[in-house]
Amino acid sequence: MKKIIALALAVMMAVCVFAGCSAKSEKLTMATNAEFPPFEYLENGEIVGADVDIAKAIAEKLGRELEITNIDFDAALTGAATGKYDMAVAGITANDERKKNMNFSVDYYTASQAIIVLADSAISGVADLEGKTISCQEGTTGEQYLLDNEYTVQSFKTGAEAVTALTSGKVDAVVIDDAVARALSAEQNGKTKVLDEALTQEAYAIALKKGDDKLTAEIDKALGELKADGTLAKIFEKFELPYDAE
Ligand code: GLN
């Protein structure tokens, strides 16, 4: 009888600990813009991509439940900066301008701005872009580069729309992050190509609210571990993203 009571008590305690634990498991909220293959995109209505896998791995390390919200890119940035979401993971370039308003994790990927043109275009490099009309995605470093260099710019909510502007003859070129340029161009059945010459050198990092140093440090630690144990390399390989783990 004593044994049964002891066992029952042990089971009850285990259940309490377990239930208490799962009820307390804090959410880790993430904003992204699932229009940026292969970092984040929709597949059968589900948000997938390299950033999603990285965020899942981080959430697991932090013992928190990941909740992803899909919104416009600029809204994702603002949402992280204001603390509406714990973080934004969206192929976000960590640059000095943005660092004024938000925290950034350590870098996790190196990128650049690339040029997409029609397959038979006479544009073969940056020098040929002079005087041309170029489309891009709103609120991005690509847009900023084009404005800074005084090109005629047409901005769209998504990279896909920027590419449609090219294939429908409204613009001469698209400027967008290199890996995304390759992914979007590959969907055009040979109508477009990505030029070898890139425009910038950038690094992706996770954006957080300015001053949220505790979570930033936790994410940095998780990213460091995921890099060291090869998880990051594996994720980038899964999405066919070139990666040099220095
Ligand atoms: N890397 C670019 C930026 O941070 C584009 C990101 C994106 O469109 N998701 O502005």
Side-chain angles (χ1 to χ4, degrees):
M1 190 60 190
K2 255 188 191 164
K3 260 190 192 163
I4 293 173
I5 291 171
L7 189 71
L9 272 173
V11 168
M12 270 169 65
M13 270 168 69
V15 167
C16 288
V17 167
F18 185 76
C21 207
S22 68
K24 253 187 252 157
S25 164
E26 210 186 328
K27 273 188 184 149
L28 179 67
T29 57
M30 156 178 161
T32 195
N33 173 236
E35 301 277 359
F36 204 64
F39 290 95
E40 42 269 331
Y41 55 101
L42 292 174
E43 195 174 74
N44 305 320
E46 199 194 334
I47 307 168
V48 296
D51 279 341
V52 176
D53 282 7
I54 292 169
K56 279 182 185 162
I58 291 171
E60 196 171 316
K61 284 207 177 281
L62 269 49
R64 293 171 63 170
E65 188 196 332
L66 184 68
E67 184 182 273
I68 306 177
T69 303
N70 182 20
I71 47 178
D72 284 343
F73 178 69
D74 40 12
L77 274 186
T78 315
T82 58
K84 183 169 181 196
Y85 304 96
D86 293 320
M87 59 180 187
V89 192
I92 300 167
T93 301
N95 62 17
D96 291 342
E97 192 55 37
R98 289 174 180 163
K99 280 178 188 167
K100 288 182 198 159
N101 307 315
M102 51 191 108
N103 272 20
F104 276 103
S105 71
V106 290
D107 301 345
Y108 65 87
Y109 196 75
T110 305
S112 63
Q113 293 300 314
I115 305 160
I116 313 175
V117 293
L118 291 176
D120 60 359
S121 174
I123 300 170
S124 65
V126 184
D128 301 326
L129 287 181
E130 211 184 314
K132 298 285 190 275
T133 303
I134 307 167
S135 64
C136 63
Q137 190 185 347
E138 202 171 274
T140 63
T141 46
E143 181 186 54
Q144 198 55 53
Y145 173 88
L146 293 172
L147 294 174
D148 289 348
N149 289 281
E150 296 176 355
Y151 289 105
T152 306
V153 180
Q154 283 191 22
S155 301
F156 295 87
K157 280 278 172 215
T158 67
E161 290 166 279
V163 173
T164 302
L166 173 69
T167 53
S168 61
K170 293 197 181 78
V171 300
D172 304 299
V174 181
V175 164
I176 194 160
D177 298 46
D178 53 347
V180 181
R182 289 193 297 272
L184 293 177
S185 186
E187 293 170 8
Q188 308 306 315
N189 300 314
K191 270 176 98 177
T192 59
K193 63 182 179 191
V194 180
L195 300 184
D196 291 333
E197 197 178 357
L199 299 168
T200 60
Q201 185 71 34
E202 314 184 357
Y204 292 168
I206 293 172
L208 300 96
K209 187 179 173 183
K210 182 104 187 158
D212 193 352
D213 298 337
K214 185 171 170 284
L215 184 58
T216 306
E218 284 173 22
I219 288 176
D220 281 351
K221 182 167 175 278
L223 275 173
E225 291 168 6
L226 294 168
K227 186 174 176 179
D229 73 5
T231 305
L232 283 188
K234 235 179 254 160
I235 291 172
F236 293 131
E237 196 189 325
K238 174 179 165 191
F239 292 96
E240 291 174 24
L241 284 159
Y243 180 62
D244 282 327
E246 329 82 73

